[in-house]
Amino acid sequence: AQSVAQPEDQVNVAEGNPLTVKCTYSVSGNPYLFWYVQYPNRGLQFLLKYITGDNLVKGSYGFEAEFNKSQTSFHLKKPSALVSDSALYFCAVRDIGNTPLVFGKGTRLSVIA
Amino acid sequence: DAGVIQSPRHEVTEMGQEVTLRCKPISGHDYLFWYRQTMMRGLELLIYFNNNVPIDDSGMPEDRFSAKMPNASFSTLKIQPSEPRDSAVYFCASRATENTEAFFGQGTRLTVV
């Protein structure tokens, strides 16, 4: 079975500082990994994905994530946080094949000016 | 494309009433997913369809829940009878192919009183 762990419920960071939101996963085969962001009263918006290829994936709004197979991690990063990045972030995984996404519990990011 | 469209955005109903949530996926997408989001349980997959055929409904909590996809451009999630514990935000998402990301609708916030 697939699963995702986001060990931090909340991450606080000062504006301009780098941010990291952690994610580890478990799948039986090769993973497809995704990050989504949710703003208040909105649906989930796709940020980036890893399917295959380069372990460093770049996505929307300056976010990037690094796939680490040995550590089964896919941490989300941004070099310089903005107040507008404050939102709820979800990591998701699925196995190769026609399977739906399994989501983590979400991490609330708060960027303080 | 306008994206995944859900209606209504908000629904308040009395316990015991029938509730129908609607979803129009992105044109050309072969997969459609229904998720439920609550504070306690996060994002849970209820059911998903491939080419209008239900593939996995193991996440549907009870027989009170049913979902249909009569054609490629429309799906419904019905709860009959509704209960207060069904209160949640229900999301519909669609995906084009196996290797692509899912796109989410804005969600329907259901309150059962």
Side-chain angles (χ1 to χ4, degrees):
Chain A
Q2 307 153 104
S3 66
V4 175
Q6 292 183 244
E8 302 154 316
D9 291 335
Q10 174 95 28
V11 170
N12 297 319
V13 62
E15 187 175 31
N17 282 3
L19 70 87
T20 299
V21 183
K22 296 179 180 177
C23 171
T24 58
Y25 66 90
S26 174
V27 295
S28 56
N30 291 323
Y32 289 179
L33 293 155
F34 301 80
W35 276 100
Y36 283 81
V37 61
Q38 185 179 28
Y39 296 99
N41 300 315
R42 302 295 296 275
L44 278 70
Q45 296 179 31
F46 169 74
L47 277 180
L48 51 81
K49 67 182 178 186
Y50 171 83
I51 303 294
T52 186
D54 194 348
N55 289 346
L56 183 62
V57 178
K58 294 189 182 295
S60 307
Y61 313 120
F63 284 93
E64 59 188 29
E66 185 164 13
F67 170 60
N68 187 318
K69 188 172 184 178
S70 62
Q71 298 186 4
T72 62
S73 67
F74 191 57
H75 301 330
L76 181 71
K77 299 183 179 185
K78 187 173 182 180
S80 178
L82 300 173
V83 172
S84 57
D85 292 330
S86 299
L88 188 58
Y89 289 81
F90 290 96
C91 182
V93 67
R94 65 181 186 87
D95 207 340
I96 293 175
N98 297 331
T99 57
L101 287 173
V102 172
F103 284 87
K105 292 283 191 182
T107 298
R108 187 165 299 282
L109 173 67
S110 180
V111 181
I112 304 159
Chain B
D1 200 313
V4 176
I5 299 173
Q6 292 186 245
S7 65
R9 289 293 310 277
H10 302 274
E11 177 81 37
V12 180
T13 191
E14 292 184 347
M15 182 175 62
Q17 296 298 307
E18 177 180 295
V19 175
T20 299
L21 311 182
R22 297 173 175 79
C23 175
K24 177 177 167 40
I26 294 173
S27 177
H29 282 195
D30 290 341
Y31 296 87
L32 184 139
F33 308 87
W34 283 99
Y35 285 88
R36 179 171 68 175
Q37 184 179 33
T38 61
M39 289 290 291
M40 292 298 295
R41 301 174 69 91
L43 274 161
E44 303 173 278
L45 176 72
L46 299 177
I47 185 171
Y48 82 98
F49 296 82
N50 182 16
N51 292 322
N52 313 339
V53 176
I55 303 301
D56 184 355
D57 66 354
S58 60
M60 297 286 260
E62 299 171 34
D63 291 344
R64 299 184 294 107
F65 286 69
S66 62
K68 294 182 180 180
M69 193 165 185
N71 57 63
S73 59
F74 184 64
S75 177
T76 59
L77 178 68
K78 186 176 293 186
I79 308 172
Q80 166 64 16
S82 58
E83 297 183 3
R85 58 194 168 119
D86 302 331
S87 298
V89 181
Y90 291 81
F91 287 105
C92 176
S94 69
R95 186 178 90 200
T97 66
E98 179 180 327
N99 291 343
T100 56
E101 61 272 19
F103 292 86
F104 281 74
Q106 299 275 46
T108 296
R109 182 174 296 275
L110 173 65
T111 303
V112 183
V113 298

